[in-house]
Amino acid sequence: MKRNTRLSSTLHILVHMAEKPEHALTSEQLATFIHTNPVVVRRTIAGLRDAGIVTSSRGHGGGWLLGRAPENISLAEISAALGETLLPLSTAPESPGCLVEQAVIAVLDDFRVAAEKLLAEKLSRITLADLTADFRRRYDLIGVSSHAV
Amino acid sequence: MKRNTRLSSTLHILVHMAEKPEHALTSEQLATFIHTNPVVVRRTIAGLRDAGIVTSSRGHGGGWLLGRAPENISLAEISAALGETLLPLSTAPESPGCLVEQAVIAVLDDFRVAAEKLLAEKLSRITLADLTADFRRRYDLIGVSSHAV
DNA sequence: CGATATTGTAACTAATTAAGTTACATGAAG
DNA sequence: CTTCATGTAACTTAATTAGTTACAATATCG
């Protein structure tokens, strides 16, 4: 089954941005982090700009900046801004009038709605700041072990 | 975004099978319920046979039967037997050595594992019997309203 | 035994989607 | 006014899944 890499790629980009809060990063630079094309980056994070999670500016010296402090950016918002559900479970009718299908859809739809709420709650408790903290912990560890050798 | 219809289609098929516990239904018959091809049906529910949720027999009078009572078949088992995750969230490394990516993956992977467990728990509380009960409720309602008119 | 009905599965084709690419208009800075 | 950047449309490519065809294996019935 194909897995969705967009959330993971976007978080990767955002942590890099959080690590360089002073200057805008270009789509070109962001693209190299996730080994892709600048246009793909712009397209992917366009929704984040609309949600105020990042800002973009054109022209010389332009690029992308976080729209607010990493502490105030939750993974739930990021995921929502990407415009994709985490649970791509279809509950759309395909045999209108079939009571069996109606029963299946009713039960499955209840599950889907409740599950999406649960997932959003879990993600809302993780912020971009948690990710950068985790990164710095790893970074410092490498430094220490390098000194030790 | 493309949504996965396999769980919904499979449940549709299984409820029909639960409603006719006395005789085997052929792939051909099952295929008509979900407007597809018998081979697609066989391929889709092959995993359910391996999991003991259904049984199949060849030859004249052959076809598919539930492997046990609907009360003892949970949606968690069915979903697992389909061999697809409900949360197609990639946490696979794409930039080996990048500490930012490692931090992102660590956090996201924890989330994924915990979320999958939560979803499985929710699904394990719903059985095929719940679905057939819901179907019969709808069926009886239609009957009543028909008589009323 | 031979005819018929059914699953199991491999191999191929078609349809759909997401990713990647090209091209260029728009706008900002020096 | 040149350069650098985003915004976005349009197109191409790649990957995945669904659908189809074909046929071997197997079971039943007469």
Side-chain angles (χ1 to χ4, degrees):
Chain A
M1 191 191 189
K2 191 178 181 177
R3 285 166 173 246
N4 188 352
T5 60
R6 287 182 61 194
L7 180 56
S8 150
S9 298
T10 301
L11 293 177
H12 187 158
I13 281 175
L14 291 175
V15 172
H16 276 291
M17 285 169 61
E19 286 298 310
K20 295 279 183 191
E22 69 275 11
H23 68 284
L25 293 172
T26 67
S27 310
E28 186 84 39
Q29 294 173 304
L30 296 176
T32 63
F33 294 138
I34 57 171
H35 304 116
T36 185
N37 185 295
V39 178
V40 173
V41 169
R42 285 181 215 137
R43 212 156 46 187
T44 303
I45 64 178
L48 305 204
R49 180 184 52 228
D50 302 340
I53 295 167
V54 297
T55 62
S56 64
S57 56
R58 307 207 229 198
H60 196 112
W64 301 81
L65 286 171
L66 290 186
R68 49 193 132 99
E71 290 75 19
N72 299 322
I73 301 176
S74 77
L75 266 57
E77 291 173 277
I78 297 167
S79 173
L82 288 173
E84 289 184 339
T85 177
L86 293 175
L87 252 173
L89 194 60
S90 175
T91 54
E94 298 184 314
S95 308
C98 175
L99 293 178
V100 168
E101 188 185 66
Q102 283 171 27
V104 169
I105 286 179
V107 170
L108 219 44
D109 207 47
D110 281 354
F111 164 74
R112 191 180 51 72
V113 169
E116 278 175 351
K117 195 171 160 231
L118 268 179
L119 298 181
E121 275 164 10
K122 273 189 97 62
L123 284 179
S124 70
R125 283 184 225 111
I126 310 174
T127 69
L128 196 52
D130 297 326
L131 290 177
T132 61
D134 195 337
F135 160 67
R136 283 184 194 144
R137 209 172 300 128
R138 286 162 196 273
Y139 185 79
D140 292 344
L141 257 173
I142 294 285
V144 166
S145 68
S146 298
H147 280 269
V149 174
Chain B
M1 189 189 189
K2 191 177 182 178
R3 286 166 172 247
N4 189 353
T5 60
R6 287 181 60 194
L7 180 56
S8 150
S9 298
T10 301
L11 293 177
H12 187 157
I13 281 175
L14 291 174
V15 172
H16 276 291
M17 285 169 62
E19 286 297 311
K20 295 278 183 189
E22 69 275 12
H23 68 284
L25 293 173
T26 66
S27 310
E28 186 84 38
Q29 294 173 304
L30 296 176
T32 64
F33 294 138
I34 58 171
H35 304 115
T36 185
N37 185 295
V39 178
V40 172
V41 169
R42 287 181 214 136
R43 213 156 45 187
T44 302
I45 65 179
L48 305 203
R49 180 184 53 227
D50 302 339
I53 296 167
V54 297
T55 62
S56 65
S57 55
R58 305 207 229 200
H60 195 113
W64 301 81
L65 286 171
L66 289 187
R68 49 193 132 98
E71 290 76 19
N72 299 324
I73 301 176
S74 77
L75 266 56
E77 290 173 278
I78 296 167
S79 174
L82 288 173
E84 288 183 341
T85 176
L86 293 175
L87 251 174
L89 194 60
S90 175
T91 54
E94 297 183 314
S95 309
C98 175
L99 293 178
V100 169
E101 188 185 67
Q102 283 171 26
V104 168
I105 286 179
V107 170
L108 220 44
D109 206 48
D110 281 355
F111 164 74
R112 190 181 52 74
V113 169
E116 278 176 349
K117 195 170 160 230
L118 269 179
L119 297 182
E121 275 164 11
K122 273 189 97 63
L123 284 179
S124 70
R125 284 184 225 109
I126 310 173
T127 70
L128 196 52
D130 297 326
L131 289 177
T132 61
D134 194 337
F135 160 68
R136 283 185 194 143
R137 210 172 300 128
R138 287 162 196 273
Y139 185 80
D140 292 345
L141 256 173
I142 294 285
V144 166
S145 68
S146 298
H147 281 269
V149 175

